[in-house]
Amino acid sequence: MIGEILPPWVASAEKFGDVPEETLFPEERPLIARAIDRRRREFVTGRHCARLALARIGVAPAPIPRGERGAPVWPGGTVGSITHCSGYRAAAVASTDDARAIGIDAEPHEPLPEEVLSMIASPEEIAGLRALGDADGEVCWDRILFSAKESIYKVWFPLTGRWLDFSEAAVVIEPSGTFRARLLVSDPAMGTRALSGRWLASDGHIATSIALPRP
Ligand SMILES: CC(C)(COP(=O)(O)OP(=O)(O)OC[C@H]1O[C@@H](n2cnc3c(N)ncnc32)[C@H](O)[C@@H]1OP(=O)(O)O)[C@@H](O)C(=O)NCCC(=O)NCCS
């Protein structure tokens, strides 16, 4: 699923089930030492997907520590992103020769709870979702908006080291499988306020992606 919405210079791997905890590196085990079972499984399989994806760009298996505010610390010369939700885990990586940052996010293909929507979307975005819903009622457009904003944060944070609020990006979703975002705050490390990404709904899940190429 995730590979369908990434450019060819990004490698990815995904799993619809989980792999054994023994696949973790010893250095990674303390990161989930006190975690509940669900969290352990998603972390382990997310790391496994990351190493599968890294192998596809010629990077030998290595630990992927947790950095500032939970962002993965990728092996030198690479950037990437991890996502997991019920029944799905994925990772995407690229060489820093090709990419500045990557953000991916997966979600169950279900409507967002009403109270969440009002916290993550502006009135303009909500009006856009209504129009999309009128044209195609089969797609949970609100969930795609939420996921797009998670992908934006996963690109934004590793570059800037700063928090980005849901109100600080204005997203327009295109029914064709793309979205555009305008950042309402600037940071020199981002270099741009305009982002574009892709989305896909498939088999009970939705996914979004942003791959920022190196100019
Ligand atoms: C961090 C966040 C984006 C993760 O998204 P999520 O849908 O909750 O969970 P996902 O399973 O898709 O992603 C989790 C993975 O994201 C990665 N991640 C966590 N924090 C991160 C950060 N600061 N930067 C980049 N990646 C991060 C990790 O790899 C994590 O998995 P791991 O802990 O097993 O390594 C989300 O929890 C969050 O804090 N959002 C608030 C900020 C935001 O989205 N702002 C909107 C801006 S428009």
Side-chain angles (χ1 to χ4, degrees):
M1 174 164 91
I2 200 71
E4 290 179 50
I5 54 168
L6 288 165
W9 39 272
V10 176
S12 63
E14 65 190 359
K15 292 271 171 204
F16 295 87
D18 285 316
V19 299
E21 217 160 296
E22 290 69 48
T23 58
L24 281 188
F25 274 70
E27 301 90 315
E28 293 168 336
R29 288 190 189 132
L31 301 177
I32 49 159
R34 285 191 295 275
I36 60 167
D37 182 57
R38 185 187 55 77
R39 171 64 184 142
R40 298 173 82 89
R41 287 189 285 107
E42 67 178 26
F43 179 87
V44 168
T45 309
R47 278 336 192 240
H48 180 72
C49 289
R51 281 185 270 275
L52 289 177
L54 286 165
R56 289 179 186 151
I57 56 167
V59 178
I64 303 169
R66 183 159 55 213
E68 209 188 333
R69 295 219 200 156
V73 180
W74 296 97
T78 67
V79 289
S81 182
I82 295 172
T83 186
H84 22 60
C85 67
S86 178
Y88 186 74
R89 287 85 168 85
V93 300
S95 160
T96 51
D97 291 340
D98 298 322
R100 294 180 60 223
I102 296 169
I104 62 168
D105 185 73
E107 298 282 327
H109 190 193
E110 292 163 5
L112 267 190
E114 194 61 40
E115 67 278 10
V116 176
L117 180 63
S118 58
M119 283 163 51
I120 65 108
S122 68
E124 292 75 24
E125 287 169 333
I126 291 173
L129 297 179
R130 212 167 285 133
L132 287 163
D134 288 345
D136 182 349
E138 296 293 306
V139 178
C140 297
W141 300 104
D142 52 357
R143 188 66 75 156
I144 293 172
L145 177 70
F146 177 71
S147 178
K149 290 194 170 188
E150 300 285 60
S151 283
I152 291 168
Y153 184 70
K154 289 178 182 180
V155 164
W156 164 272
F157 182 82
L159 287 173
T160 66
R162 283 172 57 192
W163 171 255
L164 185 72
D165 200 74
F166 285 97
S167 61
E168 294 177 317
V171 175
V172 176
I173 301 166
E174 305 288 353
S176 57
T178 61
F179 63 88
R180 288 175 285 115
R182 193 165 42 83
L183 297 173
L184 307 179
V185 287
S186 62
D187 188 292
M190 272 303 292
T192 178
R193 280 195 183 200
L195 297 173
S196 58
R198 294 171 67 186
W199 66 268
L200 180 74
S202 166
D203 283 341
H205 293 107
I206 63 115
T208 57
S209 70
I210 298 176
L212 272 190
R214 186 157 294 285

